[in-house]
Amino acid sequence: MRTMETIRTRATLSQTTPWTTPWDMQGQDAAKGTEPDRSILHEYIKKEIRNGKSVSVCTMCGKSNSQKWNIMNHVESVHFPNMFTYSCKYCGKTFNAKNSLYVHMSTSHREK
């Protein structure tokens, strides 16, 4: 398994060099309104059966939850902080986690 330092180094290199790697954070261009590819996060999530129930588990720290979405948010915000950028389509404000963007949109731009 790769170390966090290796992952961050390769991700940084992929953002500053013209060649592409699996760690290339393609689609991060907030100006284009595209979302980054979060598929790298799936490598750090596994499914387990605990007490007869299926749970998703972070392979880096062991945190678990019955909802895969919650573990995806955990891995992105705790283990890969500031690796992705998301932009609000209404006001242009940027966020470093997809969940932060969703919270912002639901509180600042909901229909009244």
Side-chain angles (χ1 to χ4, degrees):
M1 182 169 225
R2 299 172 182 101
T3 65
M4 284 304 298
E5 189 58 36
T6 302
I7 292 167
R8 286 191 176 117
T9 301
R10 292 192 72 185
T12 301
L13 284 174
S14 70
Q15 292 172 355
T16 59
T17 57
W19 44 269
T20 59
T21 68
W23 304 100
D24 189 350
M25 301 302 168
Q26 297 175 13
Q28 272 194 4
D29 190 353
K32 291 182 181 177
T34 57
E35 287 191 358
D37 181 11
R38 293 183 357 148
S39 63
I40 183 178
L41 303 178
H42 292 282
E43 291 183 36
Y44 303 97
I45 300 172
K46 66 179 178 179
K47 282 280 199 187
E48 288 184 1
I49 304 295
R50 293 186 182 173
N51 300 325
K53 295 183 180 180
S54 178
V55 295
S56 295
V57 180
C58 172
T59 61
M60 299 174 91
C61 69
K63 182 178 178 87
S64 62
N65 193 283
S66 61
Q67 300 295 315
K68 186 175 183 179
W69 170 257
N70 290 333
I71 295 299
M72 283 281 286
N73 288 335
H74 159 77
V75 171
E76 180 180 39
S77 62
V78 173
H79 301 298
F80 293 93
N82 304 318
M83 294 265 307
F84 301 97
T85 303
Y86 302 91
S87 180
C88 176
K89 65 182 180 180
Y90 299 109
C91 67
K93 188 172 180 179
T94 59
F95 300 90
N96 293 322
K98 193 171 192 175
N99 192 57
S100 298
L101 171 63
Y102 286 154
V103 169
H104 162 76
M105 290 180 69
S106 68
T107 58
S108 299
H109 302 295
R110 65 179 176 204
E111 291 188 36
K112 297 176 183 179

